[in-house]
Amino acid sequence: MRIAVIARIFGILLTVFSLTLLPPIAVSLWYHDNTHTAFSAAFVITLVTGLFMWLPVHDLRQELRTRDGFVVTSLFWLVLGSFGSLPLIISPQPDLGVTDSIFESISGLTTTGATVITGLDSLPPAILYYRQQLQWFGGIGVIVIALAILPMLGIGGMQLYKAEIPGPVKDTKLTPRIAETARALIVIYVILTILCGLGYWWAGMTAFDAIGHAFSTVANGGFSTHDASMGFYANNHAIMAICIVFMFTAAINFGLHFFAFRNRSLRHYWQDSEFRFWVMLTLCAALSISLYLWYLGMFTPSGSFLHGFFQVVSIGTTAGFASENFSAWPAFLPYVLLLLGILGACAGSTCGGIKAVRGMLIMKSGLRELNRLVHANAVIPIKVNRKIVPERVTDAVWGFFAVYILSFFVFTVIVMATGENFVTAFSTVASCLSNIGPALGDAAAHYGSVNEVAKWFLILAMLMGRLEIFTLLVLLTPAFWRH
């Protein structure tokens, strides 16, 4: 591991990140909410730290190795989350301590959407805007954004790309050069954000709310400018429909969006095995839950389908918006929604969770073993998109799933050991590890009541979920540190 190379990259990235603190200053000055001093102080601290790290080694020209890429990718989210918490620590509103500020910041950047803040409707506009902006940058992946800049500075980024991009097949590039790939993803992401914001504004949101909710919708983050989340607009069916459409769109592999943009065709969406699997699963879950809500008489027929479809798409895409307090829904419904969130949506999207392609491969692998019981000598390949999946990939998926489940149980036991009850521990760990946001039990409304020790473990769970577990765990292996 080369400290100088890593320090240079951290310096550049922190310097660039400091620029993201300028828009909230403008928002504060526009609304006269007196938080511009907190953002200005955070800007200066972040900028000076970045320059302090970069200047001594700015002439260094060395390519990143894979090992360095894992270190930068893993540590940068923690470092960025810490510096991103500065405005929340410094500002008198919302009056958060260090732990809560870092929790809120990392929750935003990892697009988890778990919040410790209450009274959102009365917070300064600049703070509300900043939370939404954190999710927007986190959605595309700050590392992927950096890939569009680092090549111009003489820093190769393929190692970061491999460590950051989700999914079982990480070496597939949309364009020949990594910088072009990053720019293509960013263009698609920005276009979706603009269309979503315009849709919200057209449907009746204020310009401020439309921008903020567009940020968190396309990022599948779930932060809102209102305590009631999207339930604030539950009576506006147009807004709810727009939210469903863009949460769904952002949960599709961005590679499919890229090919649709380049080829001017939508045919390849349905040709993708993962997309078909996830759409059918989502439709079945949404119809089942909607019909069950109607059967229970909780809502009118139209209300049952509205809230049923909204919550399935919201939790299933790990966005985490709420149209209703689904934690209070009867019987198995809250747990079904959590399980959908744990699975997540498509790889290569802004969602969290295990990813649908992994769930599909696990299901196909299980069916293959059942067939082998009947036909012991049969050779039954697993196919995705009509191509045979190598056994190495299937093994990796099963390995990921095993480590995911093990991590889930370990975190649940640890959070329970800090004093939380089982429902709270189980749901908060599931929510943070899968970057969903909403939880059950004592954290149903917000995470403010969760004890501080538990919050630090939940922060680690959010980071592990965002980095797909292995990227972070590999740093703990002795083999990684051997030369």
Side-chain angles (χ1 to χ4, degrees):
M1 186 173 67
R2 294 168 294 180
I3 301 299
V5 176
I6 293 173
R8 182 169 182 264
I9 293 173
F10 270 105
I12 293 171
L13 294 176
L14 278 176
T15 302
V16 172
F17 178 70
S18 70
L19 301 178
T20 68
L21 295 167
L22 297 178
I25 295 175
V27 172
S28 177
L29 293 174
W30 178 268
Y31 286 99
H32 305 287
D33 64 11
N34 297 319
T35 60
H36 61 279
T37 53
F39 286 104
S40 299
F43 166 73
V44 171
I45 293 170
T46 306
L47 178 63
V48 169
T49 304
L51 292 175
F52 180 79
M53 296 179 71
W54 175 72
L55 286 174
V57 290
H58 71 280
D59 288 330
L60 189 65
R61 292 289 186 271
Q62 288 184 357
E63 185 71 14
L64 265 181
R65 295 182 300 191
T66 301
R67 184 178 299 175
D68 303 325
F70 278 112
V71 173
V72 171
T73 305
S74 300
L75 294 183
F76 185 69
W77 287 95
L78 181 60
V79 172
L80 190 66
S82 299
F83 279 88
S85 69
L86 289 175
L88 302 175
I89 295 173
I90 298 170
S91 176
Q93 285 185 280
D95 190 25
L96 299 180
V98 173
T99 298
D100 282 349
S101 296
I102 293 177
F103 183 96
E104 192 79 11
S105 176
I106 290 181
S107 176
L109 282 171
T110 58
T111 71
T112 303
T115 184
V116 295
I117 300 176
T118 56
L120 292 173
D121 297 86
S122 60
L123 279 184
I127 296 292
L128 292 175
Y129 169 83
Y130 179 63
R131 293 171 72 248
Q132 308 302 110
Q133 180 185 270
L134 279 174
Q135 292 211 315
W136 191 74
F137 282 115
I140 191 62
V142 177
I143 304 299
V144 176
I145 290 176
L147 289 177
I149 301 170
L150 295 183
M152 294 186 292
L153 302 173
I155 302 172
M158 192 60 202
Q159 291 79 4
L160 296 182
Y161 179 81
K162 287 181 180 179
E164 167 64 14
I165 294 297
V169 184
K170 298 189 179 186
D171 290 326
T172 302
K173 293 182 287 186
L174 309 181
T175 57
R177 295 177 61 84
I178 184 61
E180 293 175 16
T181 297
R183 292 189 191 102
L185 295 175
I186 293 170
V187 168
I188 295 168
Y189 192 71
V190 170
I191 290 172
L192 286 177
T193 305
I194 292 172
L195 291 176
C196 182
L198 290 174
Y200 280 145
W201 184 58
W202 169 82
M205 278 191 183
T206 64
F208 181 84
D209 275 3
I211 293 170
H213 284 92
F215 281 172
S216 56
T217 302
V218 175
N220 272 322
F223 275 166
S224 176
T225 55
H226 302 286
D227 284 316
S229 189
M230 292 302 291
F232 187 85
Y233 298 100
N235 293 326
N236 189 323
H237 291 184
I239 288 178
M240 302 294 281
I242 289 167
C243 187
I244 290 173
V245 167
F246 280 95
M247 285 190 296
F248 186 88
T249 304
I252 299 171
N253 189 322
F254 270 57
L256 297 180
H257 294 323
F258 174 82
F259 290 122
F261 178 77
R262 189 178 67 178
N263 300 330
R264 304 291 191 272
S265 172
L266 302 178
R267 183 183 306 169
H268 64 282
Y269 281 104
W270 197 246
Q271 293 174 344
D272 184 74
S273 300
E274 181 190 29
F275 178 77
R276 292 199 305 270
F277 172 79
W278 176 63
V279 168
M280 296 306 296
L281 179 66
T282 301
L283 285 175
C284 289
L287 282 171
S288 300
I289 288 179
S290 298
L291 290 171
Y292 193 67
L293 289 173
W294 184 14
Y295 169 76
L296 293 175
M298 293 187 64
F299 305 102
T300 62
S302 61
S304 297
F305 281 90
L306 172 68
H307 294 297
F309 269 82
F310 185 91
Q311 286 304 155
V312 166
V313 173
S314 177
I315 304 300
T317 60
T318 71
F321 285 120
S323 64
E324 265 283 321
N325 180 17
F326 75 89
S327 65
W329 286 0
F332 60 91
L333 295 182
Y335 293 96
V336 170
L337 290 172
L338 268 183
L339 289 174
L340 287 171
I342 290 171
L343 175 64
C346 300
S349 70
T350 59
C351 76
I354 292 173
K355 302 295 187 299
V357 68
R358 288 196 181 101
M360 180 178 66
L361 286 173
I362 289 170
M363 183 189 73
K364 288 189 174 187
S365 179
L367 291 174
R368 180 176 66 176
E369 294 309 309
L370 286 175
N371 287 327
R372 280 177 173 172
L373 292 175
V374 180
H375 307 286
N377 297 321
V379 177
I380 309 171
I382 295 175
K383 292 184 178 181
V384 173
N385 295 333
R386 299 180 181 178
K387 295 180 180 178
I388 295 176
V389 178
E391 288 295 325
R392 175 70 186 87
V393 173
T394 307
D395 292 343
V397 168
W398 275 109
F400 174 88
F401 183 70
V403 173
Y404 187 97
I405 296 300
L406 180 62
S407 301
F408 175 80
F409 281 118
V410 169
F411 274 113
T412 300
V413 171
I414 290 174
V415 172
M416 287 178 66
T418 66
E420 301 296 336
N421 61 63
F422 173 75
V423 173
T424 302
F426 175 88
S427 62
T428 54
V429 170
S431 187
C432 290
L433 193 59
S434 302
N435 305 127
I436 302 170
L440 309 176
D442 295 339
H446 57 84
Y447 285 62
S449 60
V450 177
N451 68 79
E452 286 206 359
V453 177
K455 283 174 185 170
W456 283 106
F457 283 103
L458 294 176
I459 287 171
L460 180 59
M462 287 189 277
L463 292 171
M464 287 182 66
R466 177 61 176 167
L467 293 168
E468 305 241 325
I469 297 181
F470 279 137
T471 305
L472 196 60
L473 287 183
V474 73
L475 300 183
L476 304 179
T477 61
F480 180 85
W481 299 101
R482 293 195 194 109
H483 293 286

